[in-house]
Amino acid sequence: MIILVFLHKIKTMDFTDAKIRSENLRKVIEQHNRSYYVDANPAISDFEYDLLVKELETIEKEYPELQTADSPTQRIGNDINNAFVQIKHKYPMLSLGNTYTESDLNDFDQRVRKITENNFEYVCELKFDGISISLTYKNGILQQAVTRGDGEKGDDVTANIRTIRNIPLKIYGDYPDEFEIRGEIFMPHSSFERLNKERADAGETLFANPRNATAGTIKLQNSSQVAKRGLDCFLYYLLGENLPHSNHYDNLQEAKKWGFPISQNVQKCQTIQQVTDYINYWDEARKKLPYDTDGVVIKINNTEQQEELGVTAKSPRWAIAYKFKAEQAITKLLSVDFQVGRTGAITPVANLQPVLLAGTTVKRASLHNQEQINILDIRISDMVIVEKGGEIIPKIVGVDKSHRTGDSKEFEYITHCPECGTKLEREESEAKHFCPNENGCHPQIIGKIEHFISRKAMAIDGLGAETIELLYKNSLINNVADLYDLKKEQLLPLERIAEKSAENIIKSIEDSKNIEFQRVLFAIGIRFVGETTAKKIVEKLHSIDEIMSANEEQLLQIDEIGERIAQSIIKYFANQKNQEIVQRLRDAGLQMKTKEVFNKISDKLKGMSFVVSGTFTSYSRDELKQIIEQHGGKNVSAISASTSYLLAGEKSGQMKIEKANRLKVKIIDENQFNELINK
Ligand code: IVH
């Protein structure tokens, strides 16, 4: 059957064939999803799977009206900027009461026994450490995915959630017409490590742990970025009026049959002793799981009893979370170093007597900042408590003062940069000290150049950290502008640089002159101006001159720019040395403004919003969207009552046309659009 699928000719397909074919493809792909994600038993290779999805994509591109909300092609995400709409939860999303000790658990058990007259059953589950989500399905199709928010209302993150491969867009079997299913989105360790490696290579700040990375990812504005991040999900709670069973456990098993990812490790328990056994087992076994868990959730199985036990303002009385203790070790603090980061931030780092913690030997741990050291009263030679809480390096969380001897010594926090001797600064709102000598302090100089050449910035190949250090030591580069003065002849005498690599470096530097302005802005390394912020700035201010002359008020008008970023931009350009560097980059020929096409032409479409659908004779869809923006209009992806026009070309989606008619949105063709802008 699979062979037939590949040989199918899609070019010659008429509408009816395309319709049948796309429906078939969707079914086949969903079956493969199920074998892969639910049964963990893939029937075809990833390559074959991708071919199927590609074929469906091609058909949907040709016949946009055949695309459905539940199509597996939706998983690749899109570039639509989805500012999130807030949605009220049908049932509030409560949190759970936490317990940390066996005696707390016994108290919980006693309360439950009293109310249920000893006749009940527990269900134990792992507590996944991620972000909770509520999914609504209507007639078997995923309608909406909403974050917890404040428990009453959350963000509509449906477009992002659709990209998570094990969340079914469509389910199969005997399911209720309408229900909600809740669970946890998380980032497996493998995805987290890959993401942080990419960020490190690109000179971006790292996520502290998979949970933060998940939260950051779910809130991304661009769902095609979400699709790349490798999120995962387990669902653990079914809600609705017509659920198949009157107990939690059977409902979960049923949901699994419909195609939902339900953990294998859900277990019924009759006694609190069995619950404790489950906890003790998983406290150890969880270390081998490919994702983070931070406890066990204990629930009453029977739904009637759940209702009887009821809820408090914040959490149900029929469930409780037992939290695992973070892994800790005690060891001696030998000395403290101060590290200077790329941005000049100072981090005190403890050198420790090596100690085994969560499977690795720990020799160094973060001491955060001066305030933290004072609060914890940490002294050299103290026995300190080290904890591994998912952060990149372990941290010191306390001192075992019972071991404090006369040897222990308080230590002075540095006042000057250990690298360049400049007096450190600390802004009121910041916990960390900074070295302000951004263009004269060794790690900052190297860090800035590394960031500048990184893949997401100027993408200059052939210059690793070691080569940069080498060029710096040989006084060939001292800042990013110096890169553009480099000559092949200067590189050749250096050790480890052969003729071919010297040529590559020079060529790559030359090529970088074509890199678009928003990346140049990101590359020059203004504090707090990351990739997305640079993009937002460039959408509003189209050239370096406009940005340099903008005042705080103008900067604050840009989406997502607050005082901290605005002030940082102003501070950067107020620095004479930075001005010189920017001028030299400009003289070298780097892109210092957005290309012509982005420039504004008129305000004729100001205040109007457009949905563009179908194919056109004189323009591509993307060209049309660009023209709309150049004339001050806005592109939106879906028709709503507030949409001004549906710009419909040939083969425009039937569903869109019907919706436009229903909502009384004006439908125009290419000629009428031309009239609008030529008026
Ligand atoms: S049940 C009303 N089960 O823990 C009960 N929650 O601290 C709803 N969590 O907000 C929650 N794994 O994000 C439940 N197996 C599990 C869970 C779980 C993780 C999270 C969830 C919840 C938080 C409560």
Side-chain angles (χ1 to χ4, degrees), residues 210-389:
R211 187 177 187 284
N212 288 0
T214 308
T217 303
I218 288 189
K219 293 290 171 73
L220 281 176
Q221 296 288 320
N222 181 334
S223 58
S224 60
Q225 292 298 322
V226 181
K228 292 183 193 139
R229 293 245 179 124
L231 292 177
D232 207 331
C233 171
F234 274 128
L235 296 162
Y236 47 62
Y237 186 25
L238 197 62
L239 298 95
E241 257 93 85
N242 301 306
L243 301 186
H245 300 282
S246 56
N247 73 77
H248 171 68
Y249 185 87
D250 289 341
N251 278 337
L252 283 190
Q253 301 317 313
E254 200 68 35
K256 186 171 186 170
K257 289 188 202 146
W258 302 335
F260 287 109
I262 308 288
S263 164
Q264 305 269 23
N265 305 314
V266 180
Q267 190 180 307
K268 289 196 264 191
C269 289
Q270 318 303 325
T271 63
I272 200 73
Q273 182 56 48
Q274 286 171 355
V275 171
T276 317
D277 291 346
Y278 182 93
I279 291 174
N280 290 338
Y281 173 78
W282 280 109
D283 199 0
E284 204 40 50
R286 71 185 175 114
K287 293 170 194 162
K288 297 203 181 75
L289 291 173
Y291 45 79
D292 279 354
T293 56
D294 61 343
V296 165
V297 181
I298 301 125
K299 303 174 181 173
I300 308 301
N301 195 15
N302 183 294
T303 28
E304 243 172 75
Q305 286 179 333
Q306 288 183 358
E307 273 165 39
E308 203 180 333
L309 282 153
V311 295
T312 69
K314 278 198 298 207
S315 49
R317 287 200 196 85
W318 51 265
I320 199 159
Y322 176 89
K323 298 271 271 200
F324 294 134
K325 282 173 207 67
E327 290 182 71
Q328 291 186 336
I330 294 191
T331 189
K332 190 169 183 176
L333 173 60
L334 302 176
S335 62
V336 176
D337 288 339
F338 293 88
Q339 280 183 353
V340 188
R342 167 173 89 75
T343 59
I346 307 290
T347 304
V349 178
N351 294 310
L352 304 167
Q353 203 148 55
V355 62
L356 201 65
L357 174 61
T360 49
T361 305
V362 174
K363 292 186 208 132
R364 285 160 79 73
S366 167
L367 282 163
H368 300 281
N369 52 55
Q370 184 171 28
E371 209 166 307
Q372 193 68 11
I373 293 169
N374 291 344
I375 291 170
L376 296 174
D377 181 24
I378 298 172
R379 305 181 192 178
I380 307 283
S381 291
D382 269 347
M383 293 306 284
V384 290
I385 302 161
V386 198
E387 193 173 289
K388 215 172 195 179

Side-chain angles (χ1 to χ4, degrees), residues 7-25:
L7 293 181
H8 216 96
K9 293 256 184 331
I10 51 172
K11 282 249 168 60
T12 56
M13 231 183 256
D14 66 16
F15 182 79
T16 324
D17 282 351
K19 185 162 185 285
I20 298 172
R21 181 75 194 136
S22 61
E23 280 162 7
N24 267 336
L25 275 169

